[in-house]
């Protein structure tokens, strides 16, 4: 059973298009995240939701809009895609206990904007 | 124009040797630290974590050391195997919202 899954795994699209990436976790976790990993492997948090409520919103262009229909799902919609949006996007989830914030990551979605 | 990016720090070890991967963190208020392993084409995978009230924690073949005085974290891998080849990230937790700040990453290459 896949704990954190993302679709699609690869996404190739043209500048100016709008696209969505979906994430689902079957771990029963309350908190979910979106991260962006650039070509230099730098991994940066974008958003976090706890029980469908946005709790972390980093300095991300407002073309990026997360949506959490329920606590097992966190989707990422991107409007007016730009070349600089090309990256690998990771979804993660966690259930913090006793001050531990171990996060479980999905396999990633490689977005290529041409 | 675009600046040339930095390459990931790399560590090359012989199979069977011990590996030590180092990480400097920035915020003295960080209270939780975690090491991840990322294999090519996959998401980061949890290895081991440590809270700031500890200075050492051991797992299976791995040990994490925390030196809060100099804000330094290290991951030691015993008897390194080819399957350990990956990029290793340290991360620190800055606040109670689970906001992990990731370090640059170190690429470990294990020679058979």
């Amino acid at each position: 059973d896949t704990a954190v899954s993302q679709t699609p795994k690869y996404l190739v699209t043209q500048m100016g298009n709008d696209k969505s990436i979906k994430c689902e976790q079957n771990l029963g976790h309350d908190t979910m995240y979106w991260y962006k990993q650039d070509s230099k492997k730098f991994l940066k948090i974008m958003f976090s939701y706890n029980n469908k409520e946005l709790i972390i919103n980093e300095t991300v262009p407002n073309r990026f809009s997360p949506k959490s229909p329920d606590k097992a799902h966190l989707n990422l919609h991107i409007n007016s895609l730009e070349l600089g949006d090309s990256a690998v996007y990771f979804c993660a989830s966690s259930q913090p206990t006793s001050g531990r914030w171990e996060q479980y990551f999905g396999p990633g979605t490689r977005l290529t904007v041409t | 124009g675009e600046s040339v990016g930095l390459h990931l720090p790399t560590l090359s070890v012989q199979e069977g040797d011990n590996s030590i991967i180092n990480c400097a963190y920035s915020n003295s208020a960080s209270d939780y630290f975690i090491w991840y392993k990322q294999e090519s084409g996959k998401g980061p995978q949890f290895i081991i974590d440590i809270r700031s009230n500890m200075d050492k924690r051991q797992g299976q073949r791995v040990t994490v050391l925390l030196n809060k005085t100099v804000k330094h974290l290290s991951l030691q891998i015993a008897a390194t195997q080819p399957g350990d080849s990956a990029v290793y990230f340290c991360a620190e937790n800055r606040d109670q919202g689970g906001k992990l700040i990731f370090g640059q990453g170190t690429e470990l290459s294990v020679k058979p």
Side-chain angles (χ1 to χ4, degrees):
Chain A
D1 278 349
T2 305
V4 182
S5 59
Q6 295 177 229
T7 53
K9 186 159 175 65
Y10 300 97
L11 185 53
V12 181
T13 189
Q14 291 184 325
M15 283 174 54
N17 284 347
D18 303 338
K19 290 293 178 186
S20 291
I21 307 172
K22 296 188 176 184
C23 177
E24 176 180 2
Q25 55 97 0
N26 62 8
L27 297 166
H29 290 168
D30 287 337
T31 308
M32 295 184 72
Y33 311 81
W34 277 111
Y35 286 85
K36 179 180 180 181
Q37 186 171 49
D38 63 21
S39 59
K40 302 183 195 69
K41 296 284 191 182
F42 184 60
L43 199 58
K44 190 174 190 317
I45 190 166
M46 300 172 70
F47 301 103
S48 172
Y49 271 74
N50 182 271
N51 258 321
K52 303 194 294 175
E53 183 182 342
L54 182 66
I55 56 170
I56 295 174
N57 186 354
E58 290 295 284
T59 309
V60 175
N62 58 15
R63 297 181 296 103
F64 290 79
S65 53
K67 281 190 173 51
S68 183
D70 55 61
K71 75 172 195 178
H73 295 83
L74 180 62
N75 304 323
L76 183 66
H77 188 75
I78 316 169
N79 288 327
S80 303
L81 278 154
E82 300 177 359
L83 292 176
D85 298 332
S86 294
V88 182
Y89 292 84
F90 288 100
C91 176
S93 73
S94 71
Q95 186 64 32
T97 52
S98 304
R100 296 180 63 199
W101 291 91
E102 178 183 345
Q103 295 180 17
Y104 293 82
F105 283 78
T109 296
R110 181 174 292 277
L111 172 64
T112 303
V113 183
T114 61
Chain B
E2 237 179 32
S3 60
V4 176
L6 293 172
H7 293 290
L8 276 179
T10 57
L11 174 65
S12 186
V13 301
Q14 204 70 36
E15 182 178 0
D17 287 352
N18 296 334
S19 303
I20 299 177
I21 300 172
N22 295 304
C23 178
Y25 64 93
S26 55
N27 192 331
S28 56
S30 293
D31 58 2
Y32 173 74
F33 305 88
I34 192 166
W35 280 99
Y36 280 94
K37 171 187 179 184
Q38 186 178 21
E39 295 174 280
S40 181
K42 297 184 178 179
Q45 178 187 4
F46 171 85
I47 303 173
I48 192 167
D49 58 0
I50 189 168
R51 296 186 62 189
S52 58
N53 59 355
M54 303 173 70
D55 52 23
K56 180 179 179 178
R57 191 157 187 246
Q58 286 184 288
Q60 189 177 10
R61 279 202 309 121
V62 293
T63 301
V64 55
L65 298 178
L66 174 62
N67 185 331
K68 293 181 286 292
T69 304
V70 295
K71 292 187 285 187
H72 184 266
L73 197 65
S74 70
L75 177 71
Q76 300 177 0
I77 305 173
T80 315
Q81 302 167 1
D84 295 327
S85 294
V87 177
Y88 289 81
F89 294 94
C90 66
E92 58 183 301
N93 181 50
R94 293 270 179 93
D95 57 41
Q96 292 304 304
K99 180 178 173 180
L100 288 181
I101 305 298
F102 279 78
Q104 183 184 14
T106 297
E107 184 165 14
L108 175 66
S109 176
V110 182
K111 294 176 286 188

